[in-house]
Amino acid sequence: MFDRVLECWGSDEFPQAFKQAIKSLELEELPLANCCNHSAVIDEDSIDVMILSSHETDDQIQIKIGVFFCEILSGCACSDDPSQAEILENSYCELLAEIDRTNAQVKFTSASSAS
Protein backbone atom coordinates (compact mmCIF):
# COMPACT_ATOMS: atom_id res chain seq x y z
CA MET A 1 0.00 0.00 0.00
CA PHE A 2 2.82 2.40 0.82
CA ASP A 3 5.03 0.99 -1.97
CA ARG A 4 3.79 3.75 -4.26
CA VAL A 5 4.55 6.33 -1.58
CA LEU A 6 8.15 5.13 -1.43
CA GLU A 7 8.40 5.25 -5.22
CA CYS A 8 7.22 8.88 -5.20
CA TRP A 9 9.51 10.03 -2.37
CA GLY A 10 11.37 13.17 -3.45
CA SER A 11 9.01 13.95 -6.33
CA ASP A 12 6.06 16.31 -6.70
CA GLU A 13 3.76 13.26 -6.64
CA PHE A 14 4.72 12.33 -3.07
CA PRO A 15 2.10 14.38 -1.15
CA GLN A 16 -0.78 13.09 -3.27
CA ALA A 17 0.44 9.47 -3.13
CA PHE A 18 0.82 9.70 0.65
CA LYS A 19 -2.66 11.16 1.14
CA GLN A 20 -4.19 8.47 -1.08
CA ALA A 21 -2.42 5.76 0.92
CA ILE A 22 -3.75 7.24 4.17
CA LYS A 23 -7.29 7.33 2.73
CA SER A 24 -7.02 3.63 1.86
CA LEU A 25 -6.26 2.64 5.47
CA GLU A 26 -8.91 1.24 7.78
CA LEU A 27 -9.96 3.74 10.45
CA GLU A 28 -8.57 1.48 13.18
CA GLU A 29 -5.07 1.76 11.69
CA LEU A 30 -4.86 5.47 12.50
CA PRO A 31 -4.44 6.20 16.23
CA LEU A 32 -7.00 9.00 16.30
CA ALA A 33 -8.98 7.83 19.33
CA ASN A 34 -6.35 9.32 21.65
CA CYS A 35 -6.94 12.70 20.02
CA CYS A 36 -10.70 12.68 20.52
CA ASN A 37 -12.10 15.19 22.97
CA HIS A 38 -15.74 14.21 22.86
CA SER A 39 -16.93 10.82 21.73
CA ALA A 40 -14.13 8.75 20.15
CA VAL A 41 -16.59 7.94 17.37
CA ILE A 42 -15.01 9.25 14.17
CA ASP A 43 -16.69 10.08 10.89
CA GLU A 44 -14.44 8.13 8.51
CA ASP A 45 -15.42 10.29 5.52
CA SER A 46 -14.22 13.45 7.23
CA ILE A 47 -10.53 12.51 7.54
CA ASP A 48 -8.18 14.91 5.78
CA VAL A 49 -4.38 14.87 6.06
CA MET A 50 -1.85 17.67 5.77
CA ILE A 51 1.89 16.97 5.60
CA LEU A 52 3.65 19.23 8.09
CA SER A 53 7.22 18.03 7.57
CA SER A 54 9.16 15.06 6.27
CA HIS A 55 12.68 13.70 6.22
CA GLU A 56 14.48 10.48 5.55
CA THR A 57 16.95 8.27 7.33
CA ASP A 58 18.74 5.23 5.97
CA ASP A 59 15.95 2.96 7.24
CA GLN A 60 12.77 5.00 6.98
CA ILE A 61 10.90 8.05 5.80
CA GLN A 62 9.40 10.06 8.65
CA ILE A 63 6.41 12.28 7.96
CA LYS A 64 4.80 14.55 10.54
CA ILE A 65 1.14 14.96 9.63
CA GLY A 66 -1.82 16.96 10.81
CA VAL A 67 -5.07 15.01 10.67
CA PHE A 68 -8.37 16.85 10.55
CA PHE A 69 -11.46 14.78 11.33
CA CYS A 70 -14.93 15.01 12.82
CA GLU A 71 -16.16 13.26 15.92
CA ILE A 72 -19.77 12.14 15.89
CA LEU A 73 -21.74 13.41 18.85
CA SER A 74 -25.05 11.72 19.46
CA GLY A 75 -27.79 14.15 20.23
CA CYS A 76 -31.50 13.98 20.57
CA ALA A 77 -34.26 14.92 18.20
CA CYS A 78 -36.27 16.69 20.87
CA SER A 79 -37.44 19.32 18.43
CA ASP A 80 -38.55 16.64 15.96
CA ASP A 81 -35.68 17.74 13.73
CA PRO A 82 -33.76 14.59 12.74
CA SER A 83 -30.76 16.68 11.65
CA GLN A 84 -30.14 17.39 15.33
CA ALA A 85 -29.82 13.69 16.16
CA GLU A 86 -26.22 13.60 14.94
CA ILE A 87 -23.75 16.44 15.38
CA LEU A 88 -20.19 16.54 14.04
CA GLU A 89 -17.45 18.17 16.11
CA ASN A 90 -14.21 19.18 14.37
CA SER A 91 -11.03 17.66 15.79
CA TYR A 92 -7.31 17.73 14.99
CA CYS A 93 -4.38 15.46 15.75
CA GLU A 94 -0.67 15.45 14.90
CA LEU A 95 0.93 12.09 14.15
CA LEU A 96 4.32 10.84 13.06
CA ALA A 97 4.18 8.31 10.23
CA GLU A 98 7.29 6.17 9.80
CA ILE A 99 7.53 4.22 6.55
CA ASP A 100 10.04 1.37 6.55
CA ARG A 101 12.12 1.64 3.37
CA THR A 102 12.68 -2.13 3.10
CA ASN A 103 9.07 -3.37 3.29
CA ALA A 104 6.88 -0.22 2.93
CA GLN A 105 5.19 -0.89 6.29
CA VAL A 106 3.92 2.20 8.09
CA LYS A 107 3.79 2.85 11.82
CA PHE A 108 1.97 5.76 13.44
CA THR A 109 2.75 7.41 16.77
CA SER A 110 1.56 10.58 18.41
CA ALA A 111 3.72 13.49 17.27
CA SER A 112 3.77 14.88 20.80
CA SER A 113 5.17 11.66 22.28
CA ALA A 114 7.72 11.34 19.45
CA SER A 115 9.23 14.77 20.12
Side-chain angles (χ1 to χ4, degrees):
M1 170 178 333
F2 282 83
D3 294 331
R4 171 98 174 106
V5 175
L6 287 176
E7 290 172 13
C8 294
W9 174 247
S11 75
D12 292 340
E13 296 175 40
F14 175 76
Q16 187 63 29
F18 181 77
K19 289 178 184 183
Q20 286 176 341
I22 294 291
K23 285 282 192 182
S24 69
L25 293 174
E26 296 292 325
L27 182 60
E28 297 78 31
E29 295 179 75
L30 288 171
L32 297 177
N34 295 337
C35 301
C36 291
N37 296 316
H38 304 287
S39 70
V41 178
I42 297 168
D43 177 17
E44 192 169 350
D45 295 330
S46 70
I47 296 173
D48 192 23
V49 176
M50 177 178 22
I51 296 174
L52 302 174
S53 65
S54 61
H55 73 279
E56 64 183 320
T57 67
D58 290 338
D59 301 327
Q60 59 187 218
I61 296 173
Q62 298 175 340
I63 306 125
K64 184 176 181 181
I65 59 175
V67 183
F68 297 91
F69 61 97
C70 290
E71 293 178 63
I72 300 172
L73 305 177
S74 298
C76 70
C78 299
S79 63
D80 292 330
D81 180 2
S83 67
Q84 297 297 317
E86 186 176 281
I87 300 169
L88 299 178
E89 182 70 32
N90 292 328
S91 294
Y92 175 77
C93 188
E94 290 185 1
L95 301 173
L96 181 63
E98 298 172 324
I99 305 172
D100 188 305
R101 295 181 96 154
T102 59
N103 60 17
Q105 295 295 311
V106 66
K107 179 179 109 178
F108 294 96
T109 55
S110 171
S112 61
S113 66
S115 301

